[in-house]
Amino acid sequence: MKYNAMNRRMFLQGSLGMMAIPLLPSLLPSKANAAVNVPTKFIHFSTHYGMPREYVTPSYFDPNGAPWTQKETYVKTQLLTDVAKKTGTVSRMIDDQFNPFLSKLNVISNAHMYTGNAGANHSKSNQSTCSNYPSDNGGPLSGYYYSVDHLVEQGLGDKALRVNLCKDGIDFYIPSVSFGTLNGKEVEINMDKTLAAFNQSLGGGKTSSSTAQADQLSLNRRSLVDSVLADFNRLKNHRRVSADDKNRLEGAVQLWREYEKGLSASQTITCTIPSLNMTSSDWGVLHRTALDGIALAFACGRSRTAAYNVRQCGDIDLDGGYTHSMHHDFRNQKGGQNSFEFVDSLRWQLHLYTYFLGRLSALKDANQQSLLDSSVASFAYEYANWGHESLGYNLLVAGGANGKLETGYHVDAGGAPVNKFHITNMMAAGLSLAQIERAGRKGWGEYSLSGGGDSRDASFG
């Protein structure tokens, strides 16, 4: 292309009002596109029983159907989109409701829970502390009273929201999956068991004049305007700029100042979380209402940490002896009506998870990206399979954690401890190892090579 030796003034005059100016430092991508530092949000979903391994594990029935990449000696990965190409879903239980989130999701399989007597009794702490006290419905073991939400809450200095909806607000089986050491005492941390209790914790119905996120967005925009104005003023006063050009720059500066005033006037954004006081006999409605509250709390800056336990297995109260018997008898009932109902009940729980991911995707953070991009949403079961097994867990995590999590994969963990899954998520949320490791103990959670429960079919392939 031939160079045209047109001088700057000629170019300005020929632009017909579309003012062109020399390169300004404030307009370089490194500054003009500077992102707001959006805090990472963290939520851990827990539920009882265990997902049937063969129904949830990607590539279980076709391990060679999608290409594998060997990441480490024992760890290999597949792209979830490659897995889903053949049948349209990742697995029989990770169905098409997950498809919109495949690029933001990781499915971890073949991880092991190395805890003593993990498979002997029901545990209310396996999924959140990686430790189980050997009494029925007990846990965690003394010295391991650090659930993931408690550690994140302490590490981020932010009060966590905790929800465990129960019939009539009473649950004697799993009253809480949150544990901490407070004032030197190991305690089971209370979770809100009704929408009314959660509404009070959340401050539902109260309006804040502006959210921290909205304020940050406004300040960020005004700071960019200020930097541009500073550069304009320096250019306007340059000795080589003609009087006509100075007048045109002054006009541009005036426009910027008007824009700045508009920002100041328009960025007071109210954030109202509606009252969650409601009653319903439909557990799906109740849970989705509670999850709406958590998503809005994340968006409004009311909280950035949550623990959520799903006790129910359907819109009606499928919880108790009926579901429990299906859970134990699943292997013998494969192909029978009860086995299908059991799988459907667990899929119902997973659909609450996808509902929440959808809510995060629909909400925007201060950078106008989906809230899911700045969140970590993990999902863990009480056991690794339909029975009280502790080997071969399937785990889920979604969200970008502000770029700290690489997502879109099925990860065969090769027998790695479930502990590593939680540690990865906590570090992605912003915690250091020093904040995770407690009582001088290296690592997190219990590690035991004995009493590991039923190891049948622990590793597929």
Side-chain angles (χ1 to χ4, degrees):
M1 182 176 69
K2 186 177 179 180
Y3 172 68
N4 185 357
M6 178 175 61
N7 65 33
R8 177 176 175 276
R9 184 164 187 171
M10 289 172 60
F11 181 79
L12 284 172
Q13 290 174 339
S15 65
L16 300 177
M18 295 297 293
M19 183 181 65
I21 57 177
L23 179 67
L24 300 177
S26 63
L27 299 183
L28 290 173
S30 60
K31 290 188 68 176
N33 296 329
V36 177
N37 182 20
V38 176
T40 301
K41 278 72 64 180
F42 177 90
I43 182 171
H44 179 61
F45 283 79
S46 298
T47 189
H48 55 313
Y49 307 143
M51 294 185 285
R53 187 179 296 115
E54 61 269 44
Y55 282 15
V56 70
T57 305
S59 300
Y60 188 95
F61 295 103
D62 189 13
N64 298 316
W68 290 91
T69 299
Q70 199 73 37
K71 287 288 189 180
E72 301 172 26
T73 302
Y74 299 104
V75 177
K76 56 185 180 180
T77 65
Q78 295 173 303
L79 284 172
L80 290 176
T81 51
D82 286 345
V83 175
K85 282 179 181 177
K86 191 169 185 179
T87 62
T89 62
V90 169
S91 67
R92 295 187 182 183
M93 287 188 66
I94 303 178
D95 59 12
D96 56 0
Q97 290 203 23
F98 281 87
N99 287 353
F101 313 109
L102 294 188
S103 65
K104 306 291 185 182
L105 177 72
N106 283 335
V107 181
I108 291 83
S109 65
N110 200 20
H112 295 347
M113 183 76 77
Y114 293 111
T115 59
N117 293 319
N121 304 285
H122 283 289
S123 169
K124 56 189 177 184
S125 62
N126 269 356
Q127 60 269 47
S128 60
T129 69
C130 285
S131 179
N132 174 43
Y133 191 73
S135 65
D136 200 25
N137 296 337
L141 193 67
S142 180
Y144 297 92
Y145 265 66
Y146 305 105
S147 59
V148 289
D149 56 287
H150 173 69
L151 288 177
V152 175
E153 176 184 58
Q154 290 197 325
L156 300 183
D158 182 85
K159 178 64 176 175
L161 301 170
R162 296 181 171 93
V163 180
N164 180 23
L165 299 181
C166 308
K167 188 175 182 180
D168 301 322
I170 301 172
D171 193 330
F172 298 105
Y173 173 45
I174 303 181
S176 180
V177 294
S178 298
F179 303 88
T181 301
L182 303 175
N183 299 321
K185 295 182 179 181
E186 296 177 340
V187 297
E188 184 175 296
I189 303 174
N190 180 61
M191 303 184 79
D192 292 328
K193 298 176 179 60
T194 64
L195 278 181
F198 179 50
N199 185 68
Q200 185 174 1
S201 297
L202 193 59
K206 295 180 180 178
T207 302
S208 57
S209 60
S210 62
T211 71
Q213 179 173 301
D215 286 342
Q216 183 61 52
L217 177 60
S218 176
L219 289 172
N220 182 66
R221 287 174 174 170
R222 285 199 291 271
S223 68
L224 289 175
V225 171
D226 290 339
S227 65
V228 171
L229 284 173
D231 278 334
F232 267 128
N233 286 325
R234 281 193 295 271
L235 180 64
K236 183 184 70 172
N237 295 322
H238 197 281
R239 62 182 178 83
R240 295 182 61 183
V241 177
S242 69
D244 288 343
D245 287 348
K246 286 182 179 180
N247 288 335
R248 298 186 71 182
L249 285 170
E250 183 61 40
V253 169
Q254 186 62 37
L255 291 175
W256 278 107
R257 293 197 185 280
E258 292 298 323
Y259 178 65
E260 183 183 31
K261 291 178 182 178
L263 283 177
S264 299
S266 65
Q267 286 299 313
T268 301
I269 300 176
T270 60
C271 185
T272 302
I273 299 177
S275 175
L276 302 182
N277 281 313
M278 63 170 295
T279 58
S280 175
S281 59
D282 188 318
W283 285 103
V285 170
L286 295 175
H287 279 289
R288 288 189 291 273
T289 301
L291 292 171
D292 283 345
I294 293 177
L296 288 171
F298 282 180
C300 292
R302 297 279 185 95
S303 179
R304 52 189 291 201
T305 309
Y308 200 91
N309 190 54
V310 183
R311 183 72 179 89
Q312 290 71 31
C313 296
D315 292 340
I316 60 175
D317 192 18
L318 278 180
D319 181 45
Y322 180 65
T323 306
H324 195 191
S325 65
M326 289 194 295
H327 157 70
H328 277 287
D329 296 339
F330 177 76
R331 184 179 291 270
N332 297 327
Q333 295 175 353
K334 285 181 182 177
Q337 184 61 34
N338 281 356
S339 68
F340 293 131
E341 289 183 27
F342 179 60
V343 169
D344 286 344
S345 70
L346 299 185
R347 189 181 286 114
W348 181 90
Q349 295 176 334
L350 288 174
H351 287 171
L352 290 178
Y353 181 63
T354 58
Y355 175 82
F356 185 72
L357 299 184
R359 297 295 288 123
L360 292 185
S361 294
L363 294 166
K364 302 297 182 183
D365 63 22
N367 291 318
Q368 294 304 297
Q369 295 178 325
S370 99
L371 211 62
L372 187 57
D373 289 332
S374 56
S375 299
V376 178
S378 58
F379 194 110
Y381 273 75
E382 181 182 4
Y383 295 114
N385 204 356
W386 59 274
H388 293 193
E389 300 181 21
S390 61
L391 305 179
Y393 267 83
N394 285 283
L395 303 151
L396 306 176
V397 63
N402 285 313
K404 294 181 181 178
L405 278 181
E406 188 177 359
T407 55
Y409 296 97
H410 166 217
V411 181
D412 181 343
V418 171
N419 308 44
K420 287 189 175 183
F421 168 78
H422 292 296
I423 290 172
T424 299
N425 296 334
M426 287 188 282
M427 292 186 72
L431 272 64
S432 66
L433 282 176
Q435 291 172 311
I436 296 171
E437 298 168 350
R438 293 303 178 96
R441 182 183 296 108
K442 186 177 181 179
W444 172 79
E446 180 188 351
Y447 290 84
S448 175
L449 298 180
S450 62
D454 189 348
S455 61
R456 287 176 291 177
D457 195 26
S459 179
F460 71 87

